[in-house]
Amino acid sequence: MSFGVPVVSFDCPNGPREIIDDCIDGLLVENGNVKAMSVAIMKMIANQNERKRMGQAAIRKYNNKFTVDKAITIWLSIL
């Protein structure tokens, strides 16, 4: 996400849905559905406009939520 690449991930029970907003900054596919994963990856490869739009959203999300400074601030507030 930090490099403007939209993430394509299985929608596992824990993790990806907490990071990726489906069709906004990446794609989530049914957990374990390899066919759906390949279709989603091909969609990203084939559609440059969608890939760029989601990539830009991924950079914004990274800068707003996932930088080292943001993580340190969150951990300091917890501790």
Side-chain angles (χ1 to χ4, degrees), residues 4-66:
V5 178
V7 177
V8 180
S9 175
F10 288 120
D11 191 9
C12 303
N14 298 305
R17 185 164 289 281
E18 297 164 0
I19 298 169
I20 302 164
D21 288 316
D22 191 33
C23 296
I24 295 175
D25 51 31
L27 297 174
L28 293 170
V29 298
E30 179 186 3
N31 192 26
N33 187 336
V34 176
K35 177 68 175 171
M37 174 65 83
S38 66
V39 168
I41 291 170
M42 294 304 293
K43 176 182 176 181
M44 286 290 95
I45 291 170
N47 193 330
Q48 181 178 2
N49 291 334
E50 281 294 292
R51 190 173 63 245
K52 285 184 177 182
R53 180 187 64 76
M54 287 187 201
Q56 290 169 348
I59 290 172
R60 284 191 300 274
K61 179 181 277 182
Y62 171 79
N63 287 331
N64 289 330
K65 290 188 170 186
F66 299 118

